[in-house]
C-alpha cells in the first residue's frame, strides 16, 4: 500500500510558533487538568498529537503519554521535546489501523475534523479505554469552512454538539459534557473550540 502524503510536512517546523497553536493547546490542557481527575498512575493516548503541544502541557500530571499521529514530520518535532513523563510515539492512521493498547484516558485537540467516520473513531476510542476511562476531545464548533485556508484533508467544518453527543452515546459513552475551552481569532472571524468530555 502506498504511503499517504504527509499533509502536515510543510507546517511541522513552524507549527509551535505560528497560528496560536501553543496558546490554544495550553488553554485546552488547562481545562482538561482542571476538569478531569488526572493522576501519576495514568497512561493517556493523545490522538492526533501533532508536535505534542497538548500532550506536553498535560504530561506532568500523568505517568505516560502515548502520542499517536499519522504525520511523521509532526512526530519528529514532538520527539525533540523533553517530556516530564514516559513517552511512546506511534505513527498510525486510526481511520484504517488499530492500536492494541488500553488507556486510562484519550485526549485530542483539533484532530477529529480530519477524520471522515466519527462513529468508527469513537468506537475505537471506546474499545481502547479501561472501564470508567475518559475522553477529552477538543475541536471546532460548526463553522462555514473558512477556518482553514486550505480544506484538503478536512472532512467536517466543525461539529454540531448535539450530533456529536448522539454518536458518542451510540457507541456507549456516558456523562458527555461540552464546554468552550478556547477561542481562535483569525482575520475574518473568531472560532470557538469546545472540549467534549465523557466516560466509558
Amino acid at each position: 500500500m502506498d504511503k499517504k502524503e504527509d499533509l502536515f510536512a510543510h507546517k511541522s517546523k513552524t507549527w509551535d510558533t505560528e497560528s496560536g497553536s501553543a496558546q490554544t493547546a495550553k488553554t485546552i490542557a488547562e481545562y482538561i487538568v482542571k476538569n478531569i481527575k488526572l493522576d501519576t498512575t495514568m497512561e493517556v493516548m493523545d490522538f492526533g498529537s501533532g508536535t505534542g503541544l497538548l500532550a506536553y502541557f498535560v504530561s506532568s500530571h500523568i505517568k505516560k503519554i502515548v502520542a499517536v499521529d499519522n504525520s511523521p514530520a509532526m512526530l519528529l518535532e514532538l520527539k525533540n521535546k523533553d517530556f516530564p513523563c514516559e513517552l511512546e510515539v506511534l505513527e498510525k492512521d486510526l481511520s484504517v489501523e488499530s492500536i492494541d493498547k488500553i488507556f486510562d484516558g484519550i485526549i485530542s485537540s483539533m484532530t477529529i475534523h480530519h477524520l471522515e467516520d466519527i462513529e468508527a473513531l469513537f468506537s475505537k476510542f471506546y474499545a481502547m479505554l479501561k472501564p470508567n476511562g475518559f475522553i477529552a476531545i477538543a475541536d471546532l464548533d460548526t463553522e462555514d469552512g473558512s477556518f482553514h485556508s486550505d480544506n484538503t484533508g478536512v472532512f467536517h467544518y466543525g461539529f454540531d454538539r448535539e450530533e456529536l453527543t448522539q454518536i458518542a452515546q451510540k457507541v456507549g459513552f456516558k456523562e458527555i459534557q461540552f464546554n468552550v475551552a478556547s477561542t481562535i481569532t483569525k482575520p475574518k472571524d473568531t472560532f470557538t473550540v469546545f472540549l467534549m468530555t465523557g466516560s466509558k
Side-chain angles (χ1 to χ4, degrees), residues 52-110:
L53 287 170
L54 180 65
Y56 180 78
F57 291 126
V58 171
S59 58
S60 61
H61 300 272
I62 57 180
K63 179 185 178 186
K64 181 178 180 179
I65 283 277
V66 177
V68 178
D69 203 289
N70 65 353
S71 166
M74 295 289 258
L75 290 175
L76 200 59
E77 296 300 313
L78 179 147
K79 290 173 187 172
N80 289 329
K81 291 185 173 67
D82 187 15
F83 282 78
C85 71
E86 293 175 38
L87 175 69
E88 184 178 348
V89 178
L90 298 176
E91 186 191 325
K92 293 266 187 186
D93 180 351
L94 280 193
S95 65
V96 292
E97 297 175 274
S98 294
I99 298 170
D100 187 20
K101 285 180 181 291
I102 301 292
F103 300 99
D104 295 288
I106 296 170
I107 61 175
S108 180
S109 175
M110 303 296 284

Side-chain angles (χ1 to χ4, degrees), residues 19-32 54 109-110 137-141 147 161 178-185 190-196:
S19 72
S21 301
Q23 187 52 52
T24 299
K26 189 167 190 286
T27 306
I28 293 164
E30 285 168 353
Y31 206 95
I32 290 172
L54 180 65
S109 175
M110 303 296 284
I137 297 168
D139 214 300
L140 295 162
D141 282 305
F147 179 81
R161 296 182 185 191
F178 283 84
N179 289 283
V180 175
S182 184
T183 55
I184 298 173
T185 302
T190 296
F191 302 87
T192 55
V193 177
F194 63 75
L195 182 71
M196 173 192 188

Side-chain angles (χ1 to χ4, degrees), residues 10-65:
H10 65 293
K11 300 176 182 175
S12 61
K13 291 284 183 202
T14 57
W15 187 263
D16 290 4
T17 53
E18 286 189 0
S19 72
S21 301
Q23 187 52 52
T24 299
K26 189 167 190 286
T27 306
I28 293 164
E30 285 168 353
Y31 206 95
I32 290 172
V33 169
K34 191 171 143 193
N35 289 277
I36 291 175
K37 202 172 183 324
L38 301 176
D39 68 61
T40 50
T41 66
M42 286 183 166
E43 295 193 10
V44 173
M45 177 174 86
D46 181 4
F47 172 66
S49 59
T51 64
L53 287 170
L54 180 65
Y56 180 78
F57 291 126
V58 171
S59 58
S60 61
H61 300 272
I62 57 180
K63 179 185 178 186
K64 181 178 180 179
I65 283 277

